[in-house]
Amino acid sequence: MVPMDNPAVAQVFENIGKLLEVQGDSPFKIRAYQRVAREIDHLPGDINTLAAQDKLRTIPGVGEEIEKKIRELLATGRLNFYQRLLQELPGGLVEMMEVPGLGPKMAARMWKELGVTTLPELEAALQDGRVAALPRMGAKTAENLLHQLEALRGRKAERVPLGEARPVAEAIVAALSRASGARNVTAAGSIRRWRDTVGDIDILATADDPQSVTDAFVGLPEVAEVLSHGPQRASIRLKSGLQVDLLLKPHASYASLLQHFTGSREHNILLRERAQHMGLSMGEYGLTEAATGKLETFLTEEALYQRLGLQYIPPELREGGDEVLRAECGRIPRLVELPDLRGDLHAHTEWSDGHTTIEAMAEAARARGYQYLAITDHSAGLGIARGLAPERLREQLKIIRELNQSYAGSFRILTGSEVDIRADGTLDFPDDLLAELDVVVASVHSAMGQDLVKMTDRVLRAMANPHMDIFGHPTTRLIGQRDPIQLDIEAVFQAALATHTALEVNASPSRLDLKDAHVRRAVELGIPLAISTDAHHPDQLAQMPYGVATARRGWAEPSHVLNTGPLQELLAFLGRA
Ligand code: DGT
Ligand code: CA
Ligand code: CA
Ligand code: ZN
């Protein structure tokens, strides 16, 4: 059994409170359970530790009865009292009460007055007016509940940002690689394709004894629930809610398994059709000749694509668009790769909202083998706390020039700013100061609610300023948290061409902005791109692969990317050579 954590225990007590309320139990008892749920949720330490130290009673509100219940839960993962309640009441009520605004009292009415006890029944009753017709309910309440129900469903179907899922996948790959007998443990699916969000994590491996690997998998400490567990495949749900699928095959099938499980589904369908035309059937084991039933296996994905008469297609391009057609006639370009990058053009220090010194950031960049790093602290504008006033920026320029002397040409800190694009489209520093900087990244950080026309005018006005070199994180989206600003992106592309402004591919995993589809359009138009980390800490310079992958998903080649060039070429673009 997997030990329960604080939120899981708190949830049980919270549900007990709700179910007792549905039953009409005493308010005193109901409040006691609600209080305990809250206290457990806010505990500073692990409740399992408290139990081991015999200190459960130090939690406010926990007396003898509740302590016994907590112990039962922690020891067995179940609580008989709770199971009995669940059996006495309709099973869907707990789920119904997850709809914001639908408390126990209302749930009880739905059940007793309408016979509604599940989410789908609730949705139907909200839609056909039965809820609205209940005494003391009304159309407005029903309408609001329907809205909340739909929002809840949306949240449950939500995809997870790549930046959250990828480290989890890497940790599981590392853990499984240590498990006996597993080879070729690899994260596949949308993670390997570097899609900006993922539905679930897919991991594959090869093994002589697959059962021992699936056993290790379902026994991982982060597992909250085992969804399925067979000898060759298993699915788990982690405590974070993420689902992870594992698929195993014999060693010889590795390349086919990798190809199959990387997807995308649409890409695989295109390949399968192609194989069929060649008299082959394509599967996780390999290619089977339809006429003879003979199985062909492959050592590498390259060999598999070659057998299908195709140029190799990198995972980032496998989305079922035109990549197969292009591969057929050798038109998959050499996409940009991490080692192509010679520097980073967007970084912050403690001078604004970064966490360390200019020197520390520069050292980290040098250690990565870069030739240059642009220090682009924020301007003093409205959007950002601790932005630099013009005098402070001038001070910083002096310090950077001195530092550069010490590198004697082996490395260069580029002076710069991430200057705010004000609500009216003017930049937050005077032109004469901007003219002194090597790199001017300009970004929107305030008045993000402007309508499409206002925002687009604002950005175009900024781009018309000859000092603006790079448009930083152009849509300002935060994946899963903040929608992009309203912006006519095609107008921005045209302006970028006209004003020779580069567009940033911000590599911060929470941004990935421009996104893949926008990169592809920019590449088609020949707009220069800057792949930048926006690092606020030396460690964040290591997030560059997210930006590179996003650029690759947009078919970017080294020549499309400003910071793949040597310093002199870059300076020429910036008008500083
Ligand atoms: P996700 O999880 O929504 O971010 O996207 P994927 O691409 O990771 O999709 P997932 O997890 O459902 O499946 C992983 C891969 O397995 C998928 O990219 C291709 C392969 N696959 C799964 N189901 C099918 C299928 O029904 N047909 C084909 N051709 N391939 C499939
Ligand atoms: Ca997946
Ligand atoms: Ca999956
Ligand atoms: Zn910014």
Side-chain angles (χ1 to χ4, degrees):
M1 187 208 88
V2 182
M4 292 182 80
D5 59 3
N6 300 4
V9 175
Q11 188 68 60
V12 170
F13 286 100
E14 163 100 31
N15 289 350
I16 290 175
K18 284 180 175 173
L19 291 173
L20 291 177
E21 203 172 343
V22 172
Q23 282 189 329
D25 212 311
S26 93
F28 174 75
K29 201 163 149 193
I30 294 163
R31 273 202 299 278
Y33 281 104
Q34 289 170 339
R35 174 173 181 211
V36 167
R38 223 173 23 248
E39 294 290 347
I40 293 175
D41 206 24
H42 292 146
L43 279 181
D46 184 354
I47 191 163
N48 292 281
T49 313
L50 275 187
Q53 296 168 338
D54 207 11
K55 285 188 185 156
L56 287 174
R57 296 276 200 102
T58 63
I59 303 171
V62 174
E64 194 183 335
E65 274 307 301
I66 301 230
E67 180 186 4
K68 257 180 25 204
K69 289 192 171 72
I70 296 176
R71 288 204 177 280
E72 184 185 336
L73 251 182
L74 294 180
T76 67
R78 288 168 52 93
L79 179 59
N80 266 320
F81 176 70
Y82 179 46
Q83 298 301 330
R84 259 204 325 276
L85 270 180
L86 286 173
Q87 277 159 19
E88 286 165 15
L89 294 165
L93 282 182
V94 170
E95 205 183 14
M96 264 172 54
M97 287 185 282
E98 285 177 35
V99 177
L102 201 155
K105 288 203 178 63
M106 207 187 277
R109 290 190 66 191
M110 301 283 175
W111 169 32
K112 290 177 180 155
E113 296 173 35
L114 295 174
V116 163
T117 59
T118 66
L119 270 186
E121 285 170 12
L122 174 64
E123 184 169 19
L126 288 168
Q127 280 167 342
D128 65 18
R130 272 179 293 152
V131 174
L134 284 176
R136 289 168 288 118
M137 196 67 81
K140 202 150 201 164
T141 309
E143 197 180 309
N144 180 47
L145 282 176
L146 185 59
H147 181 76
Q148 294 289 357
L149 187 151
E150 283 161 1
L152 174 71
R153 186 180 309 119
R155 279 199 300 281
K156 287 198 162 178
E158 221 163 66
R159 300 173 61 83
V160 178
L162 177 66
E164 269 173 44
R166 226 187 138 80
V168 177
E170 279 164 6
I172 295 176
V173 166
L176 276 188
S177 302
R178 289 191 297 269
S180 63
R183 267 164 50 187
N184 298 314
V185 186
T186 316
S190 48
I191 298 242
R192 183 163 179 249
R193 305 196 311 276
W194 293 83
R195 239 191 107 168
D196 53 7
T197 61
V198 311
D200 68 6
I201 294 175
D202 303 286
I203 291 176
L204 60 89
T206 64
D208 293 321
D209 173 18
Q211 180 82 53
S212 73
V213 185
T214 53
D215 288 351
F217 178 68
V218 300
L220 290 171
E222 301 81 9
V223 176
E225 192 185 348
V226 177
L227 305 171
S228 68
H229 182 188
Q232 294 199 14
R233 53 168 84 227
S235 283
I236 55 176
R237 186 175 305 289
L238 302 176
K239 287 172 189 164
S240 62
L242 257 172
Q243 185 180 322
V244 190
D245 296 340
L246 174 70
L247 186 57
L248 285 132
K249 288 283 173 277
H251 300 307
S253 297
Y254 172 57
S256 279
L257 174 62
L258 178 61
Q259 196 290 318
H260 167 83
F261 216 28
T262 298
S264 64
R265 190 168 308 208
E266 293 73 18
H267 176 83
N268 287 358
I269 288 170
L270 292 175
L271 285 196
R272 189 168 308 154
E273 280 170 2
R274 189 176 172 84
Q276 262 161 16
H277 285 297
M278 300 172 72
L280 299 165
S281 98
M282 199 172 137
E284 301 149 40
Y285 284 96
L287 292 174
T288 313
E289 213 168 47
T292 61
K294 199 180 124 238
L295 178 74
E296 256 182 273
T297 59
F298 301 87
L299 286 176
T300 63
E301 279 188 323
E302 282 81 356
L304 174 58
Y305 278 93
Q306 191 175 27
R307 176 68 177 84
L308 295 172
L310 295 173
Q311 194 183 357
Y312 176 70
I313 303 174
E316 293 92 331
L317 298 182
R318 300 182 196 168
E319 291 295 343
D322 58 352
E323 73 274 9
V324 175
L325 279 176
R326 282 177 176 248
E328 199 174 57
C329 45
R331 285 174 58 217
I332 303 289
R334 206 286 254 166
L335 302 176
V336 62
E337 294 168 7
L338 189 60
D340 294 323
L341 296 193
R342 307 213 194 179
D344 199 323
L345 297 176
H346 185 163
H348 298 270
T349 73
E350 62 190 9
W351 284 65
S352 64
D353 60 349
H355 296 290
T356 184
T357 59
I358 301 169
E359 293 92 320
M361 292 300 284
E363 274 321 301
R366 261 154 64 98
R368 307 196 72 76
Y370 287 157
Q371 295 173 11
Y372 45 85
L373 171 72
I375 297 296
T376 54
D377 277 310
H378 290 285
S379 63
L382 290 176
I384 300 287
R386 299 179 54 198
L388 300 185
E391 327 59 273
R392 286 276 291 157
L393 178 56
R394 288 208 166 84
E395 243 177 272
Q396 190 187 53
L397 300 190
K398 243 193 288 172
I399 290 176
I400 290 179
R401 286 187 190 120
E402 281 162 24
L403 273 171
N404 274 332
Q405 306 267 312
S406 69
Y407 298 128
S410 66
F411 181 80
R412 167 93 171 255
I413 304 176
L414 299 168
T415 61
S417 167
E418 182 183 14
V419 61
D420 229 23
I421 300 176
R422 294 185 189 131
D424 64 358
T426 56
L427 300 183
D428 205 23
F429 281 130
D431 281 354
D432 62 334
L433 179 52
L434 294 175
E436 280 187 54
L437 304 175
D438 296 325
V439 184
V440 175
V441 179
S443 316
V444 170
H445 294 112
S446 58
M448 295 194 221
Q450 287 179 334
D451 66 30
L452 182 78
V453 172
K454 241 190 167 145
M455 184 63 82
T456 306
D457 283 351
R458 168 187 183 180
V459 168
L460 295 196
R461 179 166 179 202
M463 291 173 87
N465 183 321
H467 300 296
M468 174 168 166
D469 300 308
I470 299 169
F471 184 17
H473 47 71
T475 75
T476 79
R477 73 165 178 172
L478 292 176
I479 299 169
Q481 290 175 57
R482 184 170 72 206
D483 284 340
I485 49 174
Q486 296 192 60
L487 184 63
D488 179 349
I489 196 78
E490 191 60 32
V492 171
F493 289 149
Q494 298 304 332
L497 281 175
T499 62
H500 301 287
T501 307
L503 300 180
E504 184 175 82
V505 180
N506 191 294
S508 168
S510 56
R511 292 192 184 270
L512 304 180
D513 181 12
L514 296 176
K515 64 177 179 182
D516 47 16
H518 287 158
V519 171
R520 182 152 194 195
R521 179 71 181 138
V523 164
E524 274 169 13
L525 293 169
I527 298 166
L529 301 168
I531 309 178
S532 307
T533 60
D534 195 355
H536 287 65
H537 186 282
D539 293 348
Q540 290 174 348
L541 291 172
Q543 291 176 339
M544 195 58 106
Y546 285 90
V548 171
T550 302
R552 287 166 64 84
R553 287 177 58 83
W555 295 69
E557 302 167 40
S559 63
H560 298 120
V561 181
L562 208 53
N563 45 326
T564 58
L567 180 63
Q568 283 313 316
E569 251 173 55
L570 174 68
L571 291 175
F573 174 87
L574 297 169
R576 312 286 306 172

